[in-house]
Amino acid sequence: MTIRQLRWMATLGLVLGLPAISAAEEVVWRAVRHDAAPAAPVAAPVDVAPPPAWSGPVATLGRPVAIVPSAPATAVEPVGYRVPAQGPVVRGQAPESLFPPPPPPPGALVSLTSEAAAPPLPPIPYPAPAPAPVAPFPDPAPPPPASTVVPHVVGGPPDNLPPPGAAPFPDPSPNPSVALDRPIGTSWWDKATGWCTWGDKSDCSHRAKFQSDHAFDFLASPVTNPFFFEDPRALTEVRPIFTYQSAPSGNPIFRGGHSEFFGTQARVAFTERLSLVVNEFGFVSLHPNSPTPDVQQNTGFGEIKLGPKYTFLRNTATGTVAAAGLTFELPAGSHAVSQDTGSLGFDPYVTFGQHFRLPSGFGSLNLLGAMGYSFSADNKRSEFFHTSWHLDYNVANTNFYPLIELNYFHYTNGGKARDLGMEGADLVNFGSTNVGERNLLNMAFGLRYKFSENVQIGGAFEWPILNHHDTLSDVRFTFDVIFRY
């Protein structure tokens, strides 16, 4: 035989010897014919008996049947957690990769989905731990009498707190008469007063006594018509004023003469709303070119104008402020300059201001306006309606305020004190006859400069727009200095 034939013979012998090798395994399988019924189970032997001799084929393929009979039927318990009667049972197993479980003993049937069929070991009895004693809650101390002062302890309960459940539940409908199916409306008066006071308190919380209202420092006070054109803010200041005006040549008495005023104004702010204003206190000088017995070239003390003012609107959010006042015109001046006309005059007025902020870097605009009516307590003084308007431009938010102003007077009734055929507008009330329905309209251009809010100066030139010759003013120059607190 060749070497190749010997190799084939050795391989064939190895294949034919596999059944003998399989008998040495732990579990021995017995081949059966495909037409034979499976063998009936027998009692589980201690040792596995060798299979009987078989004269058939060496090996056939069929359904394998274990030679170990099934164990007696026992209750199968699912794997899970259970609490025994006398204590817990703890099971544990190391990972199979490290410590694989040992093989079952001979004759034991193992199920992959249940515990071993062998009877379980009895649980290890041990006494249950005794529960820890719980101290009973002490009875709460009785609350002290209502008259007893209980010291407050930080972090403790509130003083004299009633026990839980003692306080009744609040009434779910405290106002049964209020309709809850619609919002509660606000009256028009509440809306008006609320708008007038909007933004009011935060601006005057640090205001000193008698100090001016500085919530509207962006406004510039008017310059011309100083006795009737009032600033709407509550201010504390002293304002010296000088006015020079030339009369028109067509005036029947002055014929190109001139007149002046030099004096002062004063204001005291009691609150950010209420103030007292002295509109005129000073001297008047008249220089007519054709004097009469009633109008001579003289200088004398002028009449006094003063009265209260109330700032009823202060809206810092919109930059709006408005006031109303009453000026009493006291004819306590010199007769030589016609400053004692009649018994008394009074002038109710309103005045307001509005701030307009321009885009960044362009400054702002400020608008002021005032109107009123000068009444006479008798028929001696002339009566008239007056209004004034002011518009200034704060150049790039600096201290320069170029301005333009308009002043209008409309005489409704002439007086009976003198027969002159002319009137003096804001400077002199001659009480002249035959001046009813006459109109005076002047325009002014000027500038106000603020060294600070406490020191300011202003000046303006003014001339008439309407062609009239029965007034004292043809061209007027007004200059003032403001010392404000």
Side-chain angles (χ1 to χ4, degrees):
M1 297 177 117
T2 62
I3 297 177
R4 185 173 184 180
Q5 291 176 343
L6 291 176
R7 291 177 179 176
W8 277 106
M9 290 294 293
T11 303
L12 181 59
L14 179 62
V15 172
L16 296 178
L18 285 178
I21 298 175
S22 62
E25 293 182 356
E26 192 172 3
V27 179
V28 180
W29 301 90
R30 177 173 56 85
V32 298
R33 295 192 314 185
H34 64 279
D35 56 348
V42 296
V46 179
D47 296 329
V48 179
W54 180 255
S55 59
V58 177
T60 60
L61 297 177
R63 185 166 67 91
V65 178
I67 62 175
V68 180
S70 59
T74 58
V76 179
E77 235 180 84
V79 177
Y81 175 76
R82 61 182 174 140
V83 180
Q86 298 182 0
V89 176
V90 180
R91 293 186 177 91
Q93 179 177 337
E96 297 183 359
S97 58
L98 299 177
F99 304 99
L109 181 62
V110 179
S111 174
L112 298 179
T113 59
S114 64
E115 296 181 354
L121 297 176
I124 302 174
Y126 58 90
V134 179
F137 289 98
D139 295 335
S147 59
T148 305
V149 178
V150 180
H152 178 70
V153 179
V154 178
D159 301 336
N160 299 337
L161 180 67
F169 288 99
D171 186 2
S173 179
N175 296 315
S177 61
V178 177
L180 302 179
D181 56 344
R182 60 183 180 273
I184 300 176
T186 305
S187 65
W188 66 270
W189 176 252
D190 292 338
K191 293 179 180 179
T193 55
W195 187 75
C196 291
T197 58
W198 183 28
D200 175 57
K201 297 183 181 300
S202 61
D203 303 310
C204 300
S205 58
H206 302 288
R207 175 182 173 272
K209 192 174 183 179
F210 301 116
Q211 188 177 17
S212 298
D213 182 5
H214 287 285
F216 301 88
D217 285 346
F218 40 74
L219 298 179
S221 297
V223 178
T224 62
N225 193 14
F227 309 139
F228 293 101
F229 197 176
E230 180 62 25
D231 194 302
R233 297 170 288 179
L235 302 173
T236 298
E237 65 183 19
V238 176
R239 180 188 178 191
I241 300 174
F242 172 75
T243 298
Y244 173 88
Q245 60 185 14
S246 62
S249 59
N251 186 289
I253 297 176
F254 277 79
R255 297 186 183 277
H258 60 89
S259 56
E260 298 89 18
F261 171 84
F262 44 95
T264 187
Q265 289 184 337
R267 295 171 176 85
V268 178
F270 300 106
T271 68
E272 70 277 6
R273 294 182 178 273
L274 182 62
S275 60
L276 176 66
V277 181
V278 179
N279 304 76
E280 180 181 356
F281 188 88
F283 294 86
V284 176
S285 181
L286 302 179
H287 300 275
N289 288 337
S290 298
T292 65
D294 292 325
V295 181
Q296 298 288 328
Q297 294 190 5
N298 283 304
T299 299
F301 186 72
E303 67 179 14
I304 300 175
K305 296 183 176 69
L306 56 84
K309 180 181 66 176
Y310 182 75
T311 303
F312 60 87
L313 172 59
R314 296 180 68 261
N315 194 323
T316 57
T318 60
T320 308
V321 57
L326 176 63
T327 301
F328 295 94
E329 301 170 340
L330 307 178
S334 173
H335 176 75
V337 289
S338 303
Q339 296 296 302
D340 60 345
T341 304
S343 59
L344 177 66
F346 51 95
D347 179 61
Y349 65 90
V350 293
T351 175
F352 78 97
Q354 178 64 56
H355 175 68
F356 301 95
R357 184 178 299 276
L358 300 179
S360 178
F362 291 92
S364 60
L365 297 175
N366 300 296
L367 176 66
L368 300 175
M371 62 181 64
Y373 189 88
S374 179
F375 293 91
S376 176
D378 54 20
N379 57 1
K380 299 296 184 180
R381 299 171 66 90
S382 299
E383 295 183 348
F384 57 90
F385 166 80
H386 62 88
T387 181
S388 298
W389 298 89
H390 161 107
L391 179 65
D392 68 67
Y393 170 53
N394 185 1
V395 181
N397 293 323
T398 59
N399 295 332
F400 291 90
Y401 293 79
L403 56 89
I404 179 174
E405 295 179 349
L406 289 174
N407 300 306
Y408 174 73
F409 293 83
H410 173 72
Y411 283 90
T412 58
N413 295 311
K416 295 183 179 180
R418 300 172 180 88
D419 186 11
L420 302 176
M422 67 169 188
E423 265 300 344
D426 60 333
L427 184 61
V428 181
N429 191 325
F430 289 108
S432 180
T433 60
N434 303 320
V435 295
E437 303 302 324
R438 296 190 183 184
N439 299 294
L440 306 176
L441 179 61
N442 296 346
M443 175 180 285
F445 289 92
L447 173 69
R448 181 167 294 284
Y449 178 75
K450 297 182 179 181
F451 296 97
S452 66
E453 276 304 313
N454 304 110
V455 180
Q456 309 173 22
I457 60 174
F461 287 93
E462 181 181 3
W463 59 90
I465 296 178
L466 300 180
N467 186 18
H468 57 276
H469 303 283
D470 50 2
T471 181
L472 294 182
S473 176
D474 188 17
V475 177
R476 172 188 275 194
F477 172 72
T478 303
F479 177 80
D480 65 19
V481 181
I482 297 177
F483 301 97
R484 181 173 297 168
Y485 172 55

